[in-house]
Every structure is written in structure tokens, then in C-alpha cells.
Amino acid sequence: MRKEAQQALGIAVSTMVLGACVTGPGTSASAQKPRQISASERAQAAQAHPEILAEFGGAYEGPGTAMVKRIGKEVAVRSNIASAENECTVTLLNTTVVNAFAIPGCYVYMTRGLLSIMNSEAELASVLGHEVGHVDAQHSKKRQNAALGSGLVSILATVLTGSSQIGQIAGQLGQAWTMKYSRDQEYQSDDLGIRYMTAAGYDPYAAAEILQSLGDQEALETRIRGQNEAAQIPSWARSHPLTAARVKRASQKAAATGVKPGQLKRDAPDYYAAVDGMLYGDDPAQGFVEGHKFAHPILKIAFEVPQGYYLNNGAAAVTATGGQAQIQFSGGKLGDGDSLDSYISTVFQGVLGNNKAQYTGVQRTTINGMDAATATARVATQNGNRDVNVVAYRFGGGSGYHFIFISPSNVNVSDVVNTTARSFRKLTDAQAAALRKRVVQVVTVKSGDTAQSISQRMAFDNYKLERFLVMNNREANPTLRAGEKVKIVVFG
């Protein structure tokens, strides 16, 4: 959550509505006549673009950005999209999740998290080519505006029936994470991506390698978080389902190009030079998520959620999903002369919109030395009654913060509400200063170095070796050669 987000209650982001029809499975995206990006597609994409940036940390402009934009254009111009060099917009997103996606209008997005586990420009060309393939084949033109799993959108969409405010919270999980493709569509985009990258001069065998890395990253996340929580994390492997057969198929398609392994460029040294110093993990301006804890070094706030909940750090708010309650944390203006009652009233107005449900009388309390207040509303929805609990705090300095908890009315979530609400606290200057950013550092292997010894320099408390192996695409117990480059993560 960015510092400026505390100035507005709730989330001012709308969902993307993508219409029209889909190219059927097996349809060629290489028709003789180049496909034009329609004016309506371009207009919709241009409208959605700032909303995507707002929700996913904005555009990252640090190390690696120029490489992503350059290679994105290189593969796009090999597609069947007319004037792709000018029509396609490629953006590196400032978020730690491992993902890439594209929307009609040829707006292509990749995250820092995904870029960090690559190991060559050829792998980058493969993923960007795959996403351009979805646009070229028009796979994305009939995606549903659905939420991820049982995320915040699926509940609030019914809670806010008839309200224009639905988009304010629905955008937090967003359609961008939920575009799931059929197997045939994935295969077609794999094939198109390999075609584009090969035409651009990149080694097509890198396609299978990055698919393997994505699968390894997914498996590691499951080990770190556990099956239930990992299943909630937005990821490329979830919106573009991975299988061993798909990895093998990518190798076969690379061989079918007639190119021999290593015949075309990989440009690993250029990749390493480009990502050296790239921000890794959360941006300090948005705060840090560590497991179930959130802490912001600039706002000097912190809280935690119970086990089983996955924290998603958005630009305007922090959400937590996975348990019986859906949780949103955000902030707004609360001057010394303003009452918590009016603050809570504004929060409920943003949540309930035109819904006539009334909330209970505000109850006052004190939490960790701050004035706080709570209130609850019960809302009838198509899927049954929902309880909306709001807990608000007077932080001082003209700022207020609040949690919104949404749960089925027949489920008791008082422990979740109380535990989370009472964890919210102010950080001391020393505690805030201890929250440090992480960056990717490219190092040269020296004689005697091993994966075990180098991984101990990783800026993590756990899974140091496992993280090192995944981000460098190495098997267990690898042999490192003196002089070669590898990536580690260190405090910046």
C-alpha cells in the first residue's frame, strides 16, 4: 500500500470488461492479412492500463525495464499484429508476484517477480512471445470478469449489488490475475511464442526452460506457504496451467524449428547486466509482506493476519484471502477535529453504496494506545446474508486506518476480527528503519564456491538454498564453475 493511498478511503479502481469473441482452438493466428488492433480494443486497453498500474504497484522503471520493453517489441513485430512495434505496449510491473499477462489492444505486462527467476534474454523472449500470442490469436477477448477463487471480488460483487462502488473494491484482485486459458489456447500461444522468438533470433529451447523454472517456483511457494495459502497466490503457473507434458511439448516444438540447441542467441550476459540491482520483493513505498505480517517503513504501521490467510499488497490497499473472512486494510484522512463515527460512516458508504442496509451503533475502544471504533452491518445477497465488520483507528497526524471484514453471517469470525484488529500498531523509528529493501545482485562464482556457500548470502531467514536454486534454474547439488554468473538476493 502506497503512502498516498491513506488519503482516500477504500479503493478507486474499476474492473476491466473485455468483450467480443474468441478464436477457436487450433485457429491459425498467422492469416495472410495482418490482424489490425481495433480502435475499440485500443481504447479499452488504454482505459484499463492506468488501473492495472495502480493495482499492481505501478510501472517499474529500474534495472531490467529497458530490456523488457526492447525484447517485447522484438517478438511483437514477428507476430501477425499489424504495426505491432507501435501498437503493442510492454510494461514491467512493480510487484513481487510471478506473473505475466496481456489484454486485447496488445498491452503486455510482466512482473519483477517473474523477471527475477529468468536467466537469459531468450527466456524473456519466450514469455513475452507467449503473451503476444494470446493477443494475436484473440484468446483474451472473452475472458470473464471473475475473481480469483473465493477472493474479495466474488463476495463484494454480491454485497454491492446495484452500487457504482462495486469497482472500487473489485479491482483489487482484478481480472488480470484470473484470465485462465484452455489447454488448446495455451498450446497455440506456446507455438506462437516459439515462432516469434525464433524469428527474432532467440534460442527456442529456452521456452521449455522457463516453463520448468515456473513450475519449480510454484512448487517452492507451496513448500514455503503450504498448499492452501499457495493456491491463493496469483501466478503465471495458475492462469497458464503448467504440466510436465507441456514442458516436454515445448522442447519438441523447439526441435521442430530445425534450430539446434545453442545455435541461436540466449544473451545471458546481457540479461545479468540488465537485472543487476533490480528491486526484489516488496517496494518500501508500498510496505513489506513477510508471511502473515505487513509492515510499512514510511507510514510506520504494522499488523498481521491469522495462519491460512494470504496477504496481497496492492497499491491502494492490502487484502487478505483464504479463510472464512475476506479482509481489506486501507486508510484515509482523519483530522483531530473529525470523529471516528463519521470516518466509519464514510467507510460503510464506500462498501455498501446504494444498499440500504444499516450498520450497528459505533462502539468505542482503545487498541495499542490508539482510539478505535467498531461497527457491523448485515447485508442480504443472492448467496445469503453477509456480515461486514469495520474496525477504524485514529492514528494521529491527520490519518486514520481501517479494516473491513466480510464473512457469511452464519460463520463466527470474531477470533479473526479480534486477532487481526488488535495486531495493528505503530512502529518505532528503530523498527521502521530495520525494514530494508532487497535487490538482485549478480555475482561471479569463485573457485571453491558451492551453491550451499553462495546461497548463505541470500537475504532470507529460511529456504536460502531452495530460493537460490529456483532463481538460477539449477538442479539439486549443482556444480558451479568458477567465472560463471549467478543471482542472489541481498539487502539494498
Side-chain angles (χ1 to χ4, degrees):
M1 185 178 74
R2 292 185 182 276
K3 181 178 182 180
E4 58 268 23
Q6 68 176 312
Q7 301 301 318
L9 295 173
I11 304 176
V13 178
S14 63
T15 53
M16 296 172 288
V17 180
L18 307 178
C21 60
V22 169
T23 301
T27 301
S28 173
S30 297
Q32 293 181 352
K33 183 179 179 180
R35 192 177 81 77
Q36 299 287 337
I37 299 294
S38 71
S40 61
E41 286 177 329
R42 193 68 183 172
Q44 279 188 320
Q47 182 179 8
H49 181 64
E51 299 171 354
I52 292 173
L53 296 184
E55 281 310 297
F56 306 132
Y60 182 68
E61 299 296 346
T65 301
M67 174 180 63
V68 170
K69 292 181 178 181
R70 170 176 56 81
I71 295 180
K73 292 298 178 73
E74 286 181 10
V75 295
V77 297
R78 269 73 181 186
S79 72
N80 194 50
I81 300 171
S83 304
E85 184 174 6
N86 297 320
E87 293 285 355
C88 295
T89 299
V90 183
T91 304
L92 181 60
L93 293 172
N94 189 24
T95 178
T96 183
V97 297
V98 177
N99 215 328
F101 56 93
I103 60 176
C106 202
Y107 275 60
V108 181
Y109 302 90
M110 172 172 288
T111 66
R112 282 192 291 103
L114 177 49
L115 187 59
S116 70
I117 68 169
M118 294 178 174
N119 287 279
S120 69
E121 287 193 348
E123 292 183 10
L124 175 58
S126 170
V127 172
L128 291 173
H130 178 100
E131 298 304 336
V132 171
H134 280 305
V135 176
D136 196 351
Q138 303 184 72
H139 293 157
S140 301
K141 293 187 69 175
K142 199 177 181 181
R143 304 264 56 91
Q144 296 298 316
N145 226 8
L148 178 66
S150 60
L152 197 62
V153 178
S154 59
I155 292 182
L156 290 184
T158 55
V159 171
L160 306 180
T161 300
S163 168
S164 63
Q165 301 295 316
I166 183 171
Q168 292 188 340
I169 299 180
Q172 182 63 31
L173 292 181
Q175 176 170 329
W177 299 130
T178 67
M179 295 194 290
K180 297 182 180 180
Y181 299 100
S182 71
R183 183 185 66 175
D184 287 338
Q185 287 173 334
E186 286 302 314
Y187 283 168
Q188 185 182 12
S189 287
D190 284 346
D191 296 350
L192 291 173
I194 289 173
R195 181 188 306 171
Y196 305 154
M197 67 183 295
T198 305
Y202 290 100
D203 189 336
Y205 294 90
E209 293 174 11
I210 187 57
L211 287 175
Q212 184 64 56
S213 291
L214 285 160
D216 292 343
Q217 172 65 28
E218 185 89 346
L220 176 59
E221 199 65 52
T222 299
R223 286 187 62 188
I224 293 173
R225 290 184 173 272
Q227 183 69 44
N228 293 337
E229 282 187 40
Q232 304 169 56
I233 300 174
S235 73
W236 197 92
R238 191 156 295 110
S239 55
H240 304 65
L242 284 168
T243 63
R246 185 175 167 197
V247 176
K248 181 178 179 180
R249 183 180 182 279
S251 293
Q252 294 171 340
K253 290 296 180 178
T257 65
V259 174
K260 298 184 182 301
Q263 181 179 341
L264 297 183
K265 64 183 178 181
R266 285 180 171 262
D267 289 348
D270 290 342
Y271 165 83
Y272 289 127
V275 301
D276 193 23
M278 182 179 71
L279 184 64
Y280 185 95
D282 289 317
D283 188 327
Q286 298 176 22
F288 295 100
V289 169
E290 291 287 347
H292 304 98
K293 299 178 180 180
F294 174 80
H296 202 300
I298 301 172
L299 301 178
K300 296 182 180 178
I301 58 175
F303 67 85
E304 56 191 85
V305 294
Q307 294 285 331
Y309 283 83
Y310 162 67
L311 281 169
N312 176 55
N313 188 8
V318 182
T319 57
T321 58
Q324 294 175 313
Q326 311 299 314
I327 307 171
Q328 181 196 72
F329 173 82
S330 190
K333 294 181 179 179
L334 182 60
D336 293 339
D338 300 331
S339 69
L340 276 171
D341 295 60
S342 63
Y343 183 97
I344 285 182
S345 177
T346 304
V347 174
F348 272 110
Q349 183 178 359
V351 175
L352 301 178
N354 297 328
N355 195 298
K356 301 301 182 181
Q358 298 295 313
Y359 61 89
T360 61
V362 176
Q363 297 182 8
R364 301 298 185 85
T365 186
T366 300
I367 297 178
N368 295 324
M370 293 172 285
D371 289 338
T374 65
T376 303
R378 178 157 292 181
V379 183
T381 78
Q382 296 177 354
N383 296 321
N385 291 337
R386 295 289 186 269
D387 285 343
V388 181
N389 288 274
V390 173
V391 182
Y393 311 81
R394 184 184 298 280
F395 188 77
S399 297
Y401 292 97
H402 63 274
F403 289 101
I404 301 172
F405 301 86
I406 300 178
S407 61
S409 297
N410 61 352
V411 175
N412 185 349
V413 295
S414 59
D415 286 346
V416 174
V417 173
N418 292 334
T419 299
T420 304
R422 294 196 172 279
S423 73
F424 179 71
R425 61 196 181 277
K426 297 181 179 181
L427 296 178
T428 66
D429 290 344
Q431 289 171 330
L435 299 170
R436 302 165 57 191
K437 70 177 182 181
R438 296 183 175 99
V439 298
V440 173
Q441 183 180 77
V442 177
V443 299
T444 302
V445 176
K446 297 178 181 179
S447 179
D449 282 342
T450 65
Q452 183 69 42
S453 65
I454 293 181
S455 67
Q456 293 310 300
R457 296 153 62 182
M458 297 276 281
F460 297 98
D461 293 331
N462 56 16
Y463 295 96
K464 292 185 177 185
L465 176 60
E466 292 84 352
R467 296 178 199 265
F468 173 83
L469 294 176
V470 168
M471 75 182 301
N472 288 284
N473 192 20
R474 302 300 177 107
E475 300 288 343
N477 302 314
T479 299
L480 301 184
R481 302 187 310 275
E484 69 175 315
K485 303 289 187 181
V486 293
K487 306 190 302 288
I488 59 174
V489 177
V490 298
F491 287 115

